[in-house]
Amino acid sequence: MKKSLEDHAARFDEKAGEYDESKSDEYRACANLVIEHAAPASDDIVLDLGTGTGAIAIALAPDADRVVGRDISEGMMDEARTKAGERGVDNAEFDRGTFREPEYDGQVDVVTSNFAMHHLSDDEKREAIAVIADLEPRKFVLGDVMFFGEPDPSAPFYDPEVDDPATVGVLADAFTDAGFSLTAVERVHDQVGVLVVERTPTDADEVTDEGADE
């Protein structure tokens, strides 16, 4: 991470009020794909990391049992809480948490994130994915700045001062090493995409499932 968490939080606090209106078409397309692929069931608990102003969390809340949003910017989460209240969403909660310390240890069925993980270095991304895997979600949907080819620092989705995107290959390897299987790749732009991964069942999971069927 090229800036401290405090620096990032302060930067997003400043832009919170105008954040939603400032996003590109590619960002919105990415968010829509994350929502589409997340597709929670009515009894699912969704953990939305880097929730920002709650665009993903609030969109998924009507279909889920509960949505837990985590972010480092109180200003962004204030916007999320306001939007949730205005739209009558009462099953979404927002509190401070990071990718590597989500400050949540309850049940998680689906994890989502959009345009947030690219602030972490590749090693930090691996640590974050390992932490998420330990929560044992069945699915993780990641929309983000990611490189499908040779990165171009002059392109609009990559700011070397604050961003540290990974290649699709690096992300795929990190997910695989953490016990996930890559099930879908959506390319929105040369530097924007959505990855869908699902957790490979462990022997313990299979025994539990068999017991439930008996």
Side-chain angles (χ1 to χ4, degrees), residues 92-149:
E93 64 178 75
F94 302 95
D95 209 341
R96 191 185 191 284
T98 69
F99 282 103
R100 291 175 292 167
E101 295 182 0
E103 304 297 338
Y104 180 78
D105 59 3
Q107 175 186 336
V108 178
D109 301 291
V110 179
V111 177
T112 57
S113 184
N114 193 51
F115 268 64
M117 190 179 278
H118 64 273
H119 296 299
L120 303 179
S121 69
D122 286 357
D123 286 343
E124 290 168 336
K125 291 183 184 72
R126 280 188 168 273
E127 293 173 12
I129 289 169
V131 168
I132 292 164
D134 285 343
L135 295 173
E136 299 187 344
R138 72 169 184 274
K139 183 193 299 184
F140 182 10
V141 186
L142 173 68
D144 209 351
V145 183
M146 59 184 71
F147 300 137
F148 285 86

Side-chain angles (χ1 to χ4, degrees), residues 164-184:
D164 199 358
T167 64
V168 173
V170 165
L171 291 169
D173 287 345
F175 280 121
T176 300
D177 290 345
F180 289 102
S181 297
L182 186 64
T183 57

